[in-house]
Amino acid sequence: MKKIIAEFKEFIARGNVLDMAVGLIVGSAFTAVVTALVSFLQSLISCFNIWGEPDTSFLDIHFLNGTIQLSDLVEAIISFLIIAVAVFFLVKGVNFLRSRAKKEEEEMKKEAPKPDPQLELLTEIRDLLKQQAMDGPSATEALSQLQGEEDVH
């Protein structure tokens, strides 16, 4: 039993489960917005209908003692398409904002000041002088060698 509890704790502690929970909560809150949008669009479409309220009952099939209501299916499909279009444009807008922010970030990186070429050259000379000083004789030894050569001449 302890092993199962430990596994459950590990399962819950994973980031995926928490991300999924947050997604479900935000998704259920977003459902109200989408439902309101669909209702608005349906009422807007029905306002332009000159014959009054749309009647899809002609799609229903009367079979024996019952009715197969295709009208409900058609209305659900229309609602689905409206929701899909709304979500599509929402995602498209978010992607546009993300790409815009990314472009601005890239421009900021491009605008970073480049080091002065003269400064780079001086840095290279300094590094070479340091390397020569480490590899060759010290400055005092080199000076004494030069003075010794002048005395001979």
Side-chain angles (χ1 to χ4, degrees):
M1 184 67 170
K2 289 182 181 180
K3 184 178 179 183
I4 292 175
I5 292 173
E7 287 179 20
F8 181 73
K9 285 181 182 179
E10 181 183 339
F11 173 76
I12 292 297
R14 288 184 185 161
N16 300 0
V17 175
L18 296 176
D19 290 343
M20 187 172 58
V22 169
L24 286 172
I25 292 168
V26 171
S28 64
F30 187 68
T31 300
V33 174
V34 173
T35 302
L37 178 65
V38 169
S39 175
F40 169 76
L41 291 175
Q42 284 176 338
S43 65
L44 187 66
I45 291 169
S46 67
C47 286
F48 292 109
N49 188 353
I50 57 173
W51 295 285
E53 191 67 28
D55 183 23
T56 56
S57 62
F58 68 91
L59 296 171
D60 294 345
I61 299 172
H62 301 284
F63 186 71
L64 298 177
N65 292 333
T67 303
I68 300 173
Q69 296 179 337
L70 290 178
S71 59
D72 291 343
L73 177 64
V74 170
E75 289 176 11
I77 291 172
I78 291 171
S79 294
F80 169 76
L81 292 174
I82 291 172
I83 291 169
V85 167
V87 170
F88 171 76
F89 283 113
L90 176 72
V91 170
K92 192 162 181 67
V94 169
N95 288 341
F96 172 76
L97 293 175
R98 283 185 182 169
S99 67
R100 187 174 173 186
K102 190 174 183 180
K103 284 181 184 176
E104 290 176 1
E105 184 179 312
E106 288 175 358
E107 288 177 6
M108 295 284 276
K109 287 181 182 178
K110 287 180 182 176
E111 293 176 4
K114 294 182 180 179
D116 186 17
Q118 292 178 350
L119 183 62
E120 287 180 3
L121 183 61
L122 288 172
T123 305
E124 287 179 25
I125 292 171
R126 180 199 66 200
D127 294 342
L128 286 172
L129 288 173
K130 282 182 183 179
Q131 185 66 33
Q132 286 178 353
M134 294 176 133
D135 293 344
S138 67
T140 55
E141 291 174 1
L143 184 58
S144 63
Q145 284 179 356
L146 285 174
Q147 287 175 349
E149 290 177 5
E150 288 178 4
D151 292 339
V152 174
H153 295 294

